């Protein structure tokens, strides 16, 4: 299924942006895990729209209604199903655009793939609205991983030329990983917020948009997880990351910068720490060697394209009539999707790593 991810922990997303509801079915989640609902809802609220000028004004409560798999706050081990109602749709904004290919969107390709039967309102099933149930699934996984001493956090690393500080690549603590998520704007260096907001606001006033880079880090990840050649940690994470709308690039550790280094510069020297654990003095490998976790922090960066929905008039085609035309997109859109994508990246990271841990440990679904 194209809308499902996972081997042992299977997460399936359903619904459309302007449909009745969206949701997730999570199969294979371990039984007996106590869920802190207040913490889960706070995590999901970080992604929700309508709370900041850097986001779309569409307002949704994004409160999940759990239908199965959780009893008295504890997971049962059976499939967990949850729905999130859509309450603030403006479907009329899309009627006149039904046959016009919005530049940067999947209208035309979706029309071809589904033979003209796809729901185009708000992007339908292609919409970033589907990241709401993903954060629900990821929020459950984050709590499971934290009980095992594994912590995941992300921050907005850059918006055009406005940059935040990067995560420390070696001595990274759970507190440092969690810090951006406790702020109203997800950065490490508070001074970066004003610069980033300025860039985003300028784009919004000009009926335009900007992209950004989100950096995610994992601390406490045990060594030895993952397999060569096609079942690597990077491969599994990238598979999930590219399922997040607007992601156009992924790198781990030094990433593309490694191509500019010599081997003597890029190699991470090994040593034994005071606890007798094998560590590296640097972390250009981003916590992954040969596709397998090394025990160092896993660090990745995701490039998000500018929001394709902009108010400026653009050239396009009417793919039903086969005519060239002009299009000015109306509706409510994020001037920078990367801001609200930060918890989504955390969620996807948690889903993938939970699946890989359960799989490697031989966990079986009853």
């Amino acid at each position: 299924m194209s809308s499902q991810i996972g081997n042992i922990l299977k997460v399936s997303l359903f619904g459309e942006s302007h449909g009745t509801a969206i949701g997730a079915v999570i199969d294979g989640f371990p039984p007996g895990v106590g869920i802190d609902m207040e913490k889960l809802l706070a995590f999901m609220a970080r992604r929700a729209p309508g709370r900041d000028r850097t986001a779309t004004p569409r307002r949704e409560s994004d409160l999940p209604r759990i239908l199965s798999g959780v009893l008295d706050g504890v997971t049962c081990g059976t499939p967990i199903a949850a729905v999130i109602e859509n309450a603030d749709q403006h479907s009329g904004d899309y009627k006149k655009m039904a046959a016009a290919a919005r530049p940067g969107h999947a209208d035309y390709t979706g029309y071809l793939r589904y033979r003209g039967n796809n729901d185009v309102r708000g992007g339908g099933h292609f919409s970033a609205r589907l990241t709401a149930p993903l954060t629900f699934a990821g929020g459950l996984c984050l709590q499971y991983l934290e009980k095992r001493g594994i912590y995941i956090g992300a921050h907005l690393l850059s918006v055009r030329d406005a940059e935040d500080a990067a995560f420390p690549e070696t001595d990274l603590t759970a507190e440092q990983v969690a810090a951006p998520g406790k702020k109203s704007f997800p950065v490490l260096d508070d001074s970066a917020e004003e610069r980033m907001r300025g860039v985003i606001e300028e784009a919004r006033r000009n009926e335009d948009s900007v992209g950004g880079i989100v950096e995610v880090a994992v601390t406490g990840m045990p060594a030895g997880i993952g397999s060569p050649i096609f079942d690597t940690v990077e491969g599994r994470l990238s598979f999930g990351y590219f399922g997040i709308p607007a992601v156009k690039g992924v790198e781990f550790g030094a990433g593309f910068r490694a191509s500019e280094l010599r081997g003597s510069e890029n190699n991470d020297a090994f040593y034994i720490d005071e606890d007798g654990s094998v560590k590296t003095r640097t972390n250009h490998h981003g916590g992954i060697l040969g596709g397998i976790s090394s025990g160092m922090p896993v660090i990745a960066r995701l490039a998000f394209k500018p929001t394709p929905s902009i108010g400026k008039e653009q050239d396009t085609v009417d793919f039903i009539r086969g005519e060239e035309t002009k299009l000015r997109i109306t509706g409510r859109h994020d001037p920078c999707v990367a801001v609200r994508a930060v918890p989504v990246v955390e969620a996807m990271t948690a889903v993938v790593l939970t699946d890989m841990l359960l799989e490697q440990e031989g966990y079986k679904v009853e």
Side-chain angles (χ1 to χ4, degrees):
M1 292 174 59
S2 66
S3 300
Q4 183 182 89
I5 188 171
N7 295 334
I8 299 299
L9 180 77
K10 300 180 186 291
V11 176
S12 179
L13 304 180
F14 64 86
E16 288 80 33
S17 177
H18 287 213
T20 303
I22 51 179
V25 177
I26 306 155
D27 200 357
F29 196 90
V33 179
I35 302 300
D36 184 334
M37 282 303 298
E38 184 176 346
K39 185 175 182 179
L40 177 60
L41 294 178
F43 174 67
M44 293 183 66
R46 289 171 52 200
R47 189 224 68 94
R51 290 165 170 78
D52 193 282
R53 288 177 67 86
T54 61
T56 170
R58 176 175 178 173
R59 296 197 64 85
E60 297 283 1
S61 63
D62 281 359
L63 294 176
R65 182 159 58 94
I66 300 176
L67 306 178
S68 65
V70 179
L71 179 64
D72 297 328
V74 179
T75 59
C76 302
T78 52
I80 300 171
V83 294
I84 299 171
E85 294 184 358
N86 290 326
D88 189 19
Q89 313 102 312
H90 286 187
S91 298
D93 292 334
Y94 297 91
K95 288 182 179 178
K96 62 183 179 182
M97 295 187 289
R102 292 174 297 164
H105 285 274
D107 301 331
Y108 175 61
T109 53
Y111 175 82
L112 297 176
R113 172 65 178 82
Y114 295 107
R115 303 171 188 172
N117 295 294
N118 56 304
D119 185 346
V120 300
R121 300 170 303 166
H125 192 63
F126 294 93
S127 172
R129 182 91 186 103
L130 272 294
T131 60
L134 173 59
T135 57
F136 170 78
L140 296 178
C141 292
L142 284 168
Q143 293 192 29
Y144 170 74
L145 292 173
E146 287 177 4
K147 295 178 190 299
R148 303 185 55 166
I150 301 171
Y151 296 87
I152 299 171
H155 69 113
L156 190 57
L157 180 63
S158 67
V159 178
R160 288 178 67 85
D161 59 349
E163 297 183 352
D164 187 20
F167 278 127
E169 62 177 30
T170 54
D171 299 321
L172 183 61
T173 66
E175 291 74 18
Q176 289 171 312
V177 163
K182 297 177 180 179
K183 301 177 182 180
S184 59
F185 196 85
V187 290
L188 292 169
D189 181 356
D190 291 339
S191 67
E193 177 178 352
E194 183 177 357
R195 297 192 300 272
M196 290 181 177
R197 284 187 179 277
V199 173
I200 296 170
E201 178 60 17
E202 181 183 18
R204 188 190 67 81
R205 288 198 308 266
N206 288 301
E207 298 183 299
D208 214 330
S209 63
V210 288
I213 296 176
V214 173
E215 183 179 52
V216 60
V218 185
T219 185
M221 182 71 179
I225 303 299
S227 302
I229 292 175
F230 300 118
D231 209 20
T232 66
V233 176
E234 301 109 311
R236 294 276 285 269
L237 283 172
S238 295
F239 181 80
Y241 290 154
F242 281 111
I244 301 173
V247 170
K248 301 302 290 184
V250 176
E251 67 174 15
F252 295 86
F256 283 95
R257 185 169 57 86
S259 67
E260 303 170 0
L261 303 176
R262 294 180 182 273
S264 56
E265 297 171 317
N266 187 62
N267 289 346
D268 300 305
F270 285 100
Y271 74 100
I272 305 294
D273 71 4
E274 60 274 11
D275 297 322
S277 299
V278 175
K279 297 288 182 65
T280 59
R281 298 195 183 280
T282 52
N283 190 19
H284 298 133
H285 67 286
I288 307 165
L289 288 168
I292 301 169
S293 60
S294 69
M296 296 297 290
V298 174
I299 298 178
R301 285 170 292 278
L302 289 73
F304 284 81
K305 71 179 183 180
T307 314
S309 293
I310 58 176
K312 292 181 179 293
E313 185 176 79
Q314 301 174 80
D315 294 327
T316 188
V317 297
D318 183 316
F319 50 80
I320 302 297
R321 296 187 176 90
E323 300 173 350
E324 294 184 355
T325 185
K326 301 282 187 181
L327 176 66
R328 186 182 295 276
I329 298 175
T330 58
R332 301 160 298 170
H333 312 285
D334 295 73
C336 180
V337 295
V339 181
R340 290 200 295 132
V342 170
V344 180
V345 173
E346 295 174 10
M348 183 61 81
T349 304
V351 166
V352 172
L353 294 185
T354 297
D355 183 41
M356 295 192 74
L357 285 165
L358 293 175
E359 185 176 14
Q360 191 140 333
E361 293 169 356
Y363 177 80
K364 295 181 179 179
V365 180
E366 299 296 334

